[in-house]
Amino acid sequence: MTLRDELAAIWAELLGLPPGEIPDDVSFLRLGGDSVLAVRMSALVRKRLAVVLALSDVRVETTLGELADLVGRRTSDEPMAKALPITVTRRSDPHAEFPLLPLQQGYFVGQQDGWELSYESAHYYLDYALTGVDGDEAADALTDAVERLAVHQPTLRARVTSDGRQHVLPFGTPGAVPGVRVYDLREESDERITKALEQVRGEMSRNGPDPTRGPGLDIRLTLLPEGEGRLHLGLSLLLFDGWSSSVLSRDLLTFVADWNAVPAPLEVGFGDYVTSLAELPATEAWRADRDWWWSRMDSLPLPPALPLAADPHDVRPVTMANREHRWSAARWAALRQECTRRGVTPSTAMLTAFGVVLARWSGHRRMLLNSLQLNRLPLHPDVQRIVGAFAATMLLPLEFARGVSFAELAVAAQTVSGEHAAHNLVTGVEVGRELARRRGSWRPVGPVVFQSVLGVDAAMGGRPPEDAGPLGKVVAADYFHQLRTPQVAIEVRCFELGDEMVAVFSLVAELFEPDQVEAAFAEFVALVDGLADGRGWDLVPDLPEEADLGEVAALRLGRLPEVAVRHADGPPADELEQTVAEVFEELLEVPVLDRGADFFGLGGDSLLAVRVVVRLGKECGVSLPVRNFLSDATVAGVAAAVRSLAGVAR
């Protein structure tokens, strides 16, 4: 088999096409591919051909002929522009601590009430219906499946330490494996069932699993009359990303359905992957990506200036509100077909629709969005099968031109998105830290988020299993869900549900006027409907004249006042300031001689800030809230906060 034939076989497997019907000169996108499938394609090329492709190598616009030429040059020892000389191997101690990845750090700090719009737990809650449940066998089968899954996927046994590191507990450790709670309502009345489900949903939505105190997975089963049931899942975002939740659900249902199921063993784990990334900053590829982002840092726009009903600093949300719409199988198929005709991915179409709505809502056309990315670097063939918090954010600047069609806006957005995604070795969290430092801001730099996992089922080889043995049959279309993500004001999530497509606006309701949210969501749905019809692509959206919003007096997202703190320069003024300076020096490994020195200006980040707080608690006997630390992170400011909490007059 030639190289071209082997690549054609991979494309055929991913796209559901006969290998002989894949031409050399038609792009992956035109044949039905998307960015998620492109990631899977890269993984298969590595696994079967032993060739590592960077994300920039496998854009959706690539043709089979171009890919064959590229892979041929790679196999002939041509130097790779973005080669990653990193090998993932098993650690000698699988239970040793390892660092949190940047997005994990953000969630961890958020759980310490460090950010605006923080929650006690960053987590996702989901429950869905079951039919044909064997009420006598289901609980035991589910418990057994969770235990076997915790052996196969060690992340189920992971914990996070108080100073922001993670580790996996040995399997036999008491409490290491998540327990299963069962509610038997088979003999209860409809009224009692409704009340009980509301209670479980409320509890699991508001009180998510927290791996700093116990398992990061909360799993429960409700048994209902006539063989019905519901499976409840609470997943900590500290441990599980979106791809992982799909892997976990598939593995779990496979184990439940078959007591004897034995998946192919994983050669490496999440801890091995994360540990290997310590080598990343020393690579030429990482430095090139950092320089690319840093050179553009000062030109990045502000987030959409959405009108606010309250300052995020004053809001303490409990859960995020949802607005949701489903497109039928026929409408979703029509939208995919139209996207293929126009040369854009469905995810790009949804991003562009969201951007148009934001531009009209905020009154300007140039904006910075935050996009959630899979970010599983192809360092090992098992990376796609591992459960863990691999995901990363990517800051995405968009500028919509006036007087052009939606199709032209979408093509431009796809170009910008692809260009920025090709520099994914430096994550959005890391870019955001530097951006906040340069702007002197303590507020989130990317509070408006776009997330699309359209195409994930195809990338995983098909839909999740529906038959789950004693648990009966999964009715995925009958579900309830809730999200709590720190630092996010509003987020759109797009995903497939069987043959249908779903889009959800998740937002902090206290921040926005309800009528504005309803109008924005209705406009978004109408735009997508027009794209499915085909008529919306050639229409010219009515966009604001100004690219950027000028000075505003009213509350606007991304245009809120910063706390200006100034302290007299000079050496630490007293013993407490000297203690704070010494803790700064110890953790930052730099001299701290000025009481006005800012922790972040000295090279600190939010995770190190948590460690400073922990250390000061031991040194001073005062539990300083992380939010108080972040509001004035100078030596003098932190000392003043500690002094105030200790009740000592200055």
Side-chain angles (χ1 to χ4, degrees):
M1 182 180 288
T2 66
L3 175 61
R4 189 265 180 208
D5 291 339
E6 290 181 292
L7 292 171
I10 292 174
W11 281 34
E13 178 180 330
L14 294 172
L15 302 172
L17 298 172
E21 295 184 9
I22 299 179
D24 284 358
D25 58 352
V26 178
S27 72
F28 189 68
L29 172 62
R30 292 284 185 181
L31 292 171
D34 56 35
S35 55
V36 177
L37 279 177
V39 173
R40 177 65 176 154
M41 182 236 294
S42 174
L44 289 176
V45 169
R46 178 189 176 108
K47 182 176 182 179
R48 297 179 186 177
L49 303 179
V51 174
V52 179
L53 297 176
L55 185 59
S56 56
D57 292 329
V58 289
R59 294 190 180 186
V60 292
E61 297 87 359
T62 301
T63 67
L64 182 62
E66 291 169 340
L67 183 63
D69 179 66
L70 174 66
V71 173
R73 285 184 278 118
R74 293 288 189 263
T75 56
S76 64
D77 297 326
E78 176 197 87
M80 294 179 64
K82 292 192 64 172
L84 290 177
I86 296 174
T87 301
V88 182
T89 58
R90 283 283 188 186
R91 297 180 299 155
S92 58
D93 180 1
H95 308 299
E97 291 184 356
F98 57 99
L100 297 176
L101 293 180
L103 187 55
Q104 289 181 291
Q105 295 173 16
Y107 292 144
F108 174 75
V109 175
Q111 289 192 176
Q112 321 302 314
D113 194 33
W115 307 116
E116 290 181 352
L117 311 178
S118 291
Y119 307 90
E120 291 183 359
S121 59
H123 77 282
Y124 179 65
Y125 168 71
L126 168 72
D127 69 63
Y128 50 78
L130 305 168
T131 62
V133 178
D134 184 338
D136 296 327
E137 299 288 340
D140 288 342
L142 182 58
T143 299
D144 175 78
V146 171
E147 290 178 353
R148 286 189 287 154
L149 183 59
V151 174
H152 179 57
Q153 295 284 3
T155 299
L156 269 69
R157 296 179 271 123
R159 298 293 188 272
V160 176
T161 65
S162 61
D163 64 346
R165 294 180 66 80
Q166 56 190 323
H167 61 102
V168 173
L169 296 175
F171 180 76
T173 304
V177 178
V180 176
R181 282 201 243 179
V182 179
Y183 306 99
D184 191 344
L185 306 180
R186 287 177 288 178
E187 304 299 327
E188 299 292 341
S189 66
D190 291 345
E191 181 180 356
R192 167 61 182 150
I193 289 171
T194 298
K195 184 176 181 180
L197 285 176
E198 288 178 351
Q199 183 175 348
V200 173
R201 286 171 172 169
E203 178 187 344
M204 294 185 73
S205 295
R206 293 189 297 269
N207 304 305
D210 181 0
T212 65
R213 298 194 294 263
L217 173 67
D218 185 357
I219 182 165
R220 309 183 191 185
L221 174 66
T222 298
L223 300 175
L224 300 171
E226 300 182 359
E228 303 291 312
R230 295 199 79 87
L231 185 62
H232 310 263
L233 298 169
L235 298 103
S236 169
L237 300 182
L238 267 170
L239 300 182
F240 306 103
D241 58 17
W243 181 280
S244 293
S245 67
S246 294
V247 173
L248 184 150
S249 296
R250 289 164 185 262
D251 286 353
L252 178 64
L253 294 176
T254 298
F255 282 133
V256 173
D258 184 355
W259 295 83
N260 299 310
V262 180
L266 295 167
E267 295 181 5
V268 296
F270 183 60
D272 306 319
Y273 174 91
V274 174
T275 301
S276 73
L277 293 184
E279 304 173 35
L280 195 58
T283 65
E284 181 180 346
W286 184 90
R287 290 193 293 268
D289 278 5
R290 179 202 57 195
D291 293 346
W292 187 90
W293 280 106
W294 263 231
S295 68
R296 289 159 174 76
M297 189 80 63
D298 295 332
S299 63
L300 290 175
L302 294 168
L306 302 178
L308 297 175
D311 189 322
H313 182 68
D314 301 326
V315 169
R316 292 293 188 276
V318 177
T319 59
M320 301 178 80
N322 290 332
R323 302 290 189 278
E324 182 171 323
H325 186 83
R326 295 189 193 184
W327 284 268
S328 69
R331 299 288 284 171
W332 172 219
L335 177 59
R336 293 198 306 272
Q337 185 176 24
E338 288 293 333
C339 288
T340 299
R341 285 184 54 219
R342 308 286 177 163
V344 299
T345 66
S347 293
T348 296
M350 303 300 279
L351 167 65
T352 307
F354 186 47
V356 168
V357 169
L358 291 172
R360 290 167 55 81
W361 189 1
S362 64
H364 62 103
R365 297 179 283 106
R366 186 171 178 266
M367 64 190 70
L368 186 68
L369 300 188
N370 215 343
S371 176
L372 200 62
Q373 305 289 306
L374 297 177
N375 213 51
R376 293 181 177 231
L377 300 180
L379 303 178
H380 190 280
D382 280 347
V383 164
Q384 304 298 324
R385 301 173 54 223
I386 298 171
V387 165
F390 292 84
T393 58
M394 177 183 76
L395 294 183
L396 181 60
L398 294 177
E399 181 169 1
F400 292 105
R402 295 188 77 234
V404 303
S405 69
F406 185 95
E408 292 172 288
L409 294 177
V411 169
Q414 183 158 289
T415 299
V416 171
S417 180
E419 180 185 22
H420 285 71
H423 299 276
N424 67 321
L425 298 182
V426 177
T427 70
V429 171
E430 295 164 294
V431 176
R433 287 172 182 163
E434 175 65 13
L435 184 59
R437 187 191 67 79
R438 294 191 188 190
R439 291 177 174 176
S441 174
W442 53 272
R443 294 181 183 269
V445 299
V448 180
V449 177
F450 175 80
Q451 178 185 170
S452 172
V453 291
L454 297 174
V456 162
D457 285 350
M460 288 188 165
R463 296 181 190 172
E466 294 183 352
D467 295 320
L471 287 187
K473 185 175 182 179
V474 174
V475 186
D478 182 359
Y479 69 92
F480 175 89
H481 63 133
Q482 187 63 252
L483 177 70
R484 300 209 306 184
T485 310
Q487 300 191 75
V488 174
I490 184 169
E491 168 178 335
V492 65
R493 290 178 285 128
C494 306
F495 56 93
E496 291 172 280
L497 191 64
D499 290 328
E500 299 181 332
M501 180 184 71
V502 183
V504 181
F505 274 24
S506 291
L507 64 142
V508 178
E510 297 91 332
L511 292 181
F512 304 101
E513 297 294 346
D515 58 336
Q516 294 183 5
V517 175
E518 297 296 340
F521 188 64
E523 183 178 359
F524 176 78
V525 171
L527 276 172
V528 177
D529 280 337
L531 300 179
D533 290 341
R535 56 184 169 80
W537 295 91
D538 297 323
L539 295 179
V540 177
D542 183 15
L543 295 172
E545 290 188 9
E546 298 299 326
D548 294 300
L549 196 68
E551 296 294 326
V552 292
L555 285 177
R556 293 275 189 150
L557 196 66
R559 312 302 192 277
L560 297 165
E562 302 282 353
V563 177
V565 180
R566 296 289 183 270
H567 297 284
D569 296 335
D574 56 26
E575 184 177 349
L576 180 55
E577 288 189 4
Q578 183 62 42
T579 298
V580 173
E582 289 173 357
V583 172
F584 278 21
E585 285 186 349
E586 179 182 340
L587 292 177
L588 296 175
E589 298 181 348
V590 296
V592 180
L593 306 176
D594 191 331
R595 65 190 302 270
D598 180 84
F599 180 79
F600 298 101
L602 294 168
D605 57 42
S606 56
L607 180 60
L608 283 175
V610 172
R611 293 174 180 166
V612 168
V613 166
V614 172
R615 181 62 186 275
L616 287 174
K618 296 177 181 178
E619 294 284 341
C620 306
V622 172
S623 181
L624 178 67
V626 176
R627 184 180 291 231
N628 290 20
F629 179 98
L630 296 177
S631 65
D632 182 2
T634 62
V635 170
V638 172
V642 171
R643 188 180 296 110
S644 175
L645 287 172
V648 179
R650 187 166 182 171

